[in-house]
Amino acid sequence: MLHKLKKIDVPIVVILLAFMVISTMLVYSATLNSRVITFEPKKIIVIYIVSIIAFLVTTLIDYRILTKVSFYLYGFGVFLLIAVLLFGEKIGGARGWFSLPVVKLDFQPVELFKIILILTLAMFMARRKGEPLELLQDVVPIGLITFFPVVLVAVQPDLGNAMILVVILCGMYWIGNMRLSYLLIGALAIAGGAYLFLYLFQHYHTDIQQFFQAQKWPTHWMDRINTFISPETASKDDKWQVDNAIRAIGSGSLIGEGYLNGSSVHSNRIPVVYTDAIFVVVGEEFGFVGASVLLLLYFVLIYRMILISIYCNHLAGTYIIIGIVSMMVFQIFENISMWIGIMPVTGITLPFISYGGTSLLINMIAMGLVMSVRLHDDKLLEDE
């Protein structure tokens, strides 16, 4: 079995190792003068070791075996999403984590569910054997499979990860040979829904906020959206984080202020800079050049994944890779964009760079699936 590793995509492995080095450097800088967290080398090493093992194990498992049991995985994933709503720990205003005291880690079920959803949709769509998706037989069932967990994640509330699930669905629709007429109808529906949401949000903002407060539901997401769509009416407190982030990234100029010398980062003017806002460290300490290098690494990673999908002989493998690409591209875009003021702030992490055990583990499993497609593409399962 280990001889299969000879077919592994070396550039992707090199990039993943580079990300580990970059992430460690950035997290160390972000936590150097932090008041809420200290840099723990042993914990980070354990996270990396577990993530690498998960990557290798997933690589060696035939991905088509996983697609065959994907509906069982889907049921398990939905169970976790319901359980975390009832018994999970609230962090950052959202009830979306399980605290694992034995390993001293917080596990976020929605991160795992992203992979489960990709496998489930890939299995469902591969049955069409490349034929255009039919509205009632394919498009509607696939949408319903995604809609239910999206609602469960949105009510945590975790709008960022709910959006990622929707983006995965859109990417799978696109690669699944969806009819143009259905795409146009879907685009119009999304545009209409977005317009209606913004209209209601702006005209009934106070009423909505009072209702949520009366029910003792979180309202921080409303402040984030209001800061994005109506910055002139948002309070200074609501805009404080984004304004400081933009100022910090801008101060990095061409080559940055220097490693460990970021003035905003080390004066604690950027909350959660070691997780969601890690790109601020890149921009302030390494400037435009450092940010460009990081984006180039992401570009090469996505490019290598797309190449594997193009040369894949089995539709399920292609669908899986495009689902993972859709997920990662959106996360990269959203995370960077929210700190330069062109997208609303969400809890989305920067893949492979932000501090967080669950996020890194799931991303490494995702890359293991990509490698599994490459390694097992030359062998058919008996009933395929």
Side-chain angles (χ1 to χ4, degrees), residues 305-314 318 373-374 377:
M305 286 195 285
I306 292 176
L307 279 184
I308 296 173
S309 73
I310 290 174
Y311 292 110
C312 179
N313 293 315
H314 309 296
T318 298
V373 172
R374 179 180 171 88
D377 189 46

Side-chain angles (χ1 to χ4, degrees), residues 60-351:
L60 293 173
I61 296 175
D62 193 323
Y63 68 96
R64 285 159 292 186
I65 295 175
L66 296 176
T67 60
K68 287 180 178 295
V69 298
S70 58
F71 268 134
Y72 298 103
L73 295 175
Y74 178 86
F76 175 68
V78 170
F79 168 77
L80 288 179
L81 292 180
I82 295 174
V84 79
L85 274 177
L86 299 175
F87 310 109
E89 183 178 351
K90 183 176 289 188
I91 299 178
R95 190 178 299 279
W97 282 262
F98 286 122
S99 181
L100 306 178
V102 177
V103 292
K104 296 182 180 180
L105 291 175
D106 294 318
F107 170 66
Q108 193 174 14
V110 67
E111 294 288 347
L112 176 61
F113 191 84
K114 295 173 189 176
I115 303 299
I116 293 175
L117 180 64
I118 290 171
L119 289 170
T120 305
L121 297 184
M123 182 278 297
F124 198 100
M125 294 170 58
R127 293 178 175 179
R128 294 293 300 171
K129 300 185 183 300
E131 294 295 322
L133 299 178
E134 296 294 336
L135 181 61
L136 296 179
Q137 296 178 10
D138 307 301
V139 176
V140 173
I142 290 171
L144 292 175
I145 288 173
T146 308
F147 177 76
F148 183 55
V150 166
V151 173
L152 291 177
V153 175
V155 299
Q156 289 181 3
D158 187 351
L159 298 183
N161 280 313
M163 285 193 299
I164 292 177
L165 297 180
V166 174
V167 168
I168 290 172
L169 173 66
C170 293
M172 301 292 267
Y173 272 152
W174 174 75
I175 197 62
N177 196 15
M178 187 173 176
R179 297 180 188 275
L180 180 60
S181 57
Y182 300 159
L183 286 173
L184 291 176
I185 293 172
L188 290 174
I190 293 174
Y195 176 80
L196 179 62
F197 172 80
L198 292 176
Y199 176 83
L200 295 175
F201 183 86
Q202 288 183 303
H203 286 77
Y204 299 98
H205 180 274
T206 303
D207 294 334
I208 296 173
Q209 190 167 37
Q210 289 177 350
F211 173 78
F212 271 70
Q213 289 174 343
Q215 301 297 323
K216 296 183 179 180
W217 293 344
T219 59
H220 64 280
W221 61 273
M222 296 186 63
D223 297 330
R224 291 177 175 180
I225 295 176
N226 193 51
T227 300
F228 174 68
I229 64 175
S230 301
E232 67 281 355
T233 62
S235 67
K236 290 184 177 180
D237 290 340
D238 293 340
K239 296 188 295 182
W240 182 79
Q241 185 177 14
V242 174
D243 288 346
N244 282 344
I246 294 174
R247 192 176 299 112
I249 294 172
S251 68
S253 190
L254 182 62
I255 60 174
E257 297 180 2
Y259 183 52
L260 304 180
N261 292 320
S263 54
S264 294
V265 170
H266 297 294
S267 61
N268 293 293
R269 288 200 291 267
I270 314 293
V272 295
V273 70
Y274 52 92
T275 55
D276 301 350
I278 196 73
F279 184 75
V280 178
V281 184
V282 179
E284 185 172 51
E285 298 191 353
F286 297 94
F288 177 80
V289 172
S292 299
V293 170
L294 180 61
L295 289 176
L296 180 61
L297 289 174
Y298 279 129
F299 174 83
V300 176
L301 178 69
I302 300 300
Y303 170 73
R304 297 299 302 181
M305 286 195 285
I306 292 176
L307 279 184
I308 296 173
S309 73
I310 290 174
Y311 292 110
C312 179
N313 293 315
H314 309 296
L315 287 173
T318 298
Y319 294 154
I320 287 172
I321 293 178
I322 296 304
I324 292 171
V325 168
S326 301
M327 174 184 73
M328 289 194 175
V329 168
F330 180 75
Q331 286 189 227
I332 295 165
F333 171 77
E334 166 63 21
N335 181 275
I336 294 175
S337 297
M338 66 188 184
W339 300 121
I340 57 178
I342 62 175
M343 288 290 284
V345 175
T346 65
I348 294 177
T349 57
L350 189 60

